[in-house]
Amino acid sequence: EQFVTRRSTEQSDLFSLGVILYEMITGTHPFWIPNVQPAQIATAIQYRDPAPPAAVREDVAPELQEMLLKVLEKQPANRYRHATEVRDALKTLMKTLDLETGVLPGEASAVLPAPAPGADEKPGLLDRLFAGKPVKPPKNSIAVLPFQEIEPTHPSRYYGLALADAIATRLARLPAVVVRPPGALFSVANEAIDPIEAGRRLRAETVLAGTFSRAEGHFTLNWQLLEVATKTLRTGGTLDVPSLDLVAVQRQIAEEVFTALRTSDSLSEGGPEHGEAASAGGRSEKNGRLTLPEETSEEYLEARALLTSFSLRATNHQDLEQALTKFAEVVEREAAYAPAHAGLGIAHLQVVRHGFGGLEHLMAAQRHLEHALALDAGHVEAKLYHAYALLWRGEKETARHDLQYLINAHPHDAEVHLGAGVGLLLDGLLDASLRSFGMALRLNPSLAARVYNYRARIHLYQGRLEEARMELNRGLALEPRHALLRTTLGTWLLRSGEIEEAVAALESVVADEPELRLAFPTLATAYLLAGRREEASALITDAMRASAAADCQTAYRLATYYAVLQDRREALHWLRKAIYLGNENYPWFAANPAWAAYRDDEDVKKILAELRRTYDQNHARWQRLFDAQ
């Protein structure tokens, strides 16, 4: 269109971008003709279609080729409409084609074995896009997509996501089924999406999708189970009930999906009996079944949607506070509903882990998670977050055993592998933690922001600044406002000697999330290094110290602040507190340059020597646990 109109538009800019991307990936210009005059190149640009990238480089992934050819369409109307759409397409590629190192989904988990030579060298994004042969979906894998409301009337944008998530949680109780949760498509939770394409990108054999509608005193849900390979309908149905009974809806869909999988002989022998699908609910079967009235079901789904928004999208204290309130209201009305106790416990634990609150929230988290497990001993999410609570209380041996059980029983649960990664990180087993986080990301791409943040921190602990920045760039490309990623960016800037830039980055985090006390010690340390001691001191409030007293990571950050301040007594106090609370990351504690002035301090040397012995013991404990698999 520039040759014809002599004008540039957003679409012509996108075409130019497509030419550059094509060259980056194939090594050739899409319209190059050897040994010709420039005028002939101009003619080729106007009239000749580019060769498909896979014809130039055969290992180009189909998703990448599709994106490239769309941005190089001759007609502007056939290209992406805006640059933001190209950005979103690239984000999707980052999520769905980030293949990682380690075992494939569906194979046995390997958390601790030594990596093969060169395994620590993470491939770049373009390398991962060249995946070679397509990865075969795991057997009995099912992607649960967010349900779409036919005529949206609900105030929560993620209501359909929460409804699908509740059903996915029920299906995940079937050990023979690999569930891709709806959070894997969180960024399009309220948008229409082609289910077959979603299933292909999530590497699933089948897809559960559907729509729902509500009227006063009436709830209808239409669902379909689709075969991805053949693009055919396996089964489906309509639930038409007088009101939304979440427990009944979960149970009926889980039973019918399970029956469809069994009748097609796709479930491996030794899988759960039919009754297990029916019993995987809010109460264990021995306590009888529980139904929820419509108002309570809707409030529970709202609470789940808010908690999901907080966990997956970005840190937002208001979402978490609202989730706490709604879960508490559900628990008050339905004290025997295990998922509500689990949700309330998880929300309290998130308060602790982000520095929003202190010990009282940690105790409340443990209390509600234990109540959920008393009602339903098989509740995977409650058991996982109970292990987190044990980690945060320093009861790590019990937590390790719980994580081992979960990995054995639920090897395809991304959150379980994420939990193992956190446990390994706190024990200082950094390479093993990286592999566990990689597995979590491959099982559920929606965990990307959280995983990239953890991996960036690990690379910082290992002194790999370039790798840490790459992980941060990936995460921030997906969630630019994610508070934890931005806090880690501030830490990276400090390590790189960019003090003023670190102060600016961390100030912006605290401005956006004034209750995120996890960031306070890092900002206070940046202030100290910038010579702003009064501003640093103002951040270390009683509330901030109370948060550190309940969180092992905040405690260590506060210890580092005091080390930079050269307050030996407080630095040692909070270092011991961090270790007591479960942070035994010996490699980082021994290498942290902020503690350089204390390398010859006798008390610090004793603490590190004892921590080194604990580190060796932790390695042996994990090895024994996973050898037992």
Side-chain angles (χ1 to χ4, degrees), residues 251-285:
R251 181 183 301 118
Q252 185 168 337
I253 290 183
E255 286 181 344
E256 294 191 26
V257 168
F258 181 74
T259 300
L261 294 174
R262 281 188 67 89
T263 54
S264 66
D265 199 30
S266 63
L267 282 185
S268 57
E269 293 184 6
E273 293 303 318
H274 185 74
E276 290 191 42
S279 67
R283 251 189 196 175
S284 60
E285 202 62 26

Side-chain angles (χ1 to χ4, degrees), residues 295-470:
E295 181 181 355
T296 307
S297 291
E298 295 218 11
E299 190 155 20
Y300 171 78
L301 287 175
E302 286 184 52
R304 287 296 312 191
L306 289 162
L307 187 58
T308 298
S309 176
F310 175 83
S311 299
L312 295 181
R313 192 174 187 86
T315 305
N316 186 322
H317 189 215
Q318 290 184 342
D319 283 348
L320 188 57
E321 286 295 324
Q322 291 182 52
L324 277 169
T325 300
K326 290 185 179 297
F327 277 128
E329 291 171 355
V330 175
V331 164
E332 184 177 353
R333 290 202 296 268
E334 300 292 342
Y337 188 48
H341 282 284
L344 185 54
I346 293 166
H348 276 296
L349 194 58
Q350 295 284 31
V351 168
V352 175
R353 294 176 64 188
H354 291 82
F356 296 133
L359 186 59
E360 70 280 6
H361 287 282
L362 181 59
M363 300 303 293
Q366 188 164 1
R367 183 172 66 252
H368 284 288
L369 291 166
E370 288 175 351
H371 198 154
L373 290 170
L375 291 167
D376 182 1
H379 199 291
V380 177
E381 195 176 39
K383 197 167 187 68
L384 173 62
Y385 278 87
H386 185 252
Y388 275 130
L390 293 174
L391 285 174
W392 255 244
R393 292 194 62 181
E395 301 176 36
K396 297 178 71 175
E397 192 64 24
T398 303
R400 289 187 194 96
H401 283 283
D402 286 349
L403 288 169
Q404 179 206 22
Y405 162 78
L406 289 167
I407 289 174
N408 280 328
H410 304 280
H412 306 299
D413 191 312
E415 290 282 356
V416 168
H417 288 281
L418 193 73
V422 172
L424 289 160
L425 169 58
L426 293 177
D427 278 348
L429 305 179
L430 303 182
D431 287 330
S433 180
L434 283 172
R435 293 195 290 276
S436 196
F437 287 134
M439 175 64 81
L441 181 59
R442 292 172 55 208
L443 289 169
N444 184 357
S446 72
L447 298 177
R450 291 161 66 186
V451 167
Y452 289 142
N453 181 60
Y454 277 122
R455 294 199 311 201
R457 286 172 49 195
I458 291 173
H459 288 311
L460 281 172
Y461 299 154
Q462 296 174 323
R464 300 174 178 174
L465 296 186
E466 184 177 350
E467 290 90 337
R469 187 57 197 252
M470 288 175 62

Side-chain angles (χ1 to χ4, degrees), residues 20-223:
I20 294 170
L21 290 173
Y22 188 103
E23 286 190 281
M24 290 171 64
I25 289 161
T26 66
T28 64
H29 191 285
F31 304 102
W32 179 252
I33 303 173
N35 303 317
V36 297
Q37 297 299 317
Q40 292 178 282
I41 296 295
T43 302
I45 291 172
Q46 294 181 76
Y47 301 110
R48 188 167 65 84
D49 290 330
V56 182
R57 180 171 180 168
E58 63 181 13
D59 54 356
V60 173
E63 295 89 346
L64 181 58
Q65 174 166 288
E66 179 184 344
M67 187 275 290
L68 286 172
L69 292 179
K70 183 171 181 178
V71 82
L72 287 172
E73 283 280 354
K74 298 293 185 191
Q75 294 298 323
N78 294 337
R79 294 177 208 143
Y80 294 98
R81 291 174 299 171
H82 304 292
T84 53
E85 292 184 0
V86 180
R87 178 200 64 196
D88 291 342
L90 289 169
K91 282 185 180 182
T92 301
L93 283 169
M94 289 173 67
K95 286 185 176 182
T96 60
L97 296 178
D98 194 349
L99 298 178
E100 301 302 321
T101 57
V103 297
L104 292 175
E107 297 178 349
S109 172
V111 177
L112 276 179
D120 283 339
E121 299 177 6
K122 300 292 188 297
L125 174 61
L126 289 179
D127 291 325
R128 285 195 301 280
L129 294 178
F130 302 131
K133 295 181 180 179
V135 178
K136 185 178 180 180
K139 187 173 177 60
N140 306 325
S141 51
I142 178 171
V144 183
L145 304 188
F147 290 106
Q148 305 297 317
E149 189 167 9
I150 296 175
E151 295 181 0
T153 59
H154 202 274
S156 172
R157 178 184 176 190
Y158 303 112
Y159 186 90
L161 171 65
L163 179 60
D165 183 62
I167 293 168
T169 300
R170 175 70 65 90
L171 289 171
R173 292 285 298 274
L174 307 172
V177 178
V178 180
V179 178
R180 306 290 197 213
L185 293 166
F186 183 80
S187 62
V188 292
N190 202 40
E191 303 169 15
I193 185 170
D194 177 67
I196 297 298
E197 174 65 13
R200 185 175 66 82
R201 292 186 178 185
L202 295 176
R203 297 192 294 276
E205 288 184 335
T206 55
V207 172
L208 178 64
T211 60
F212 67 97
S213 62
R214 288 165 302 160
E216 187 174 348
H218 193 74
F219 177 84
T220 302
L221 188 146
N222 299 295
W223 64 276

Side-chain angles (χ1 to χ4, degrees), residues 515-536:
E515 300 299 319
L516 186 70
R517 299 188 191 104
L518 179 68
F520 284 18
T522 308
L523 176 55
T525 301
Y527 279 148
L528 284 179
L529 295 173
R532 299 160 64 175
R533 294 174 68 94
E534 290 187 6
E535 291 169 274

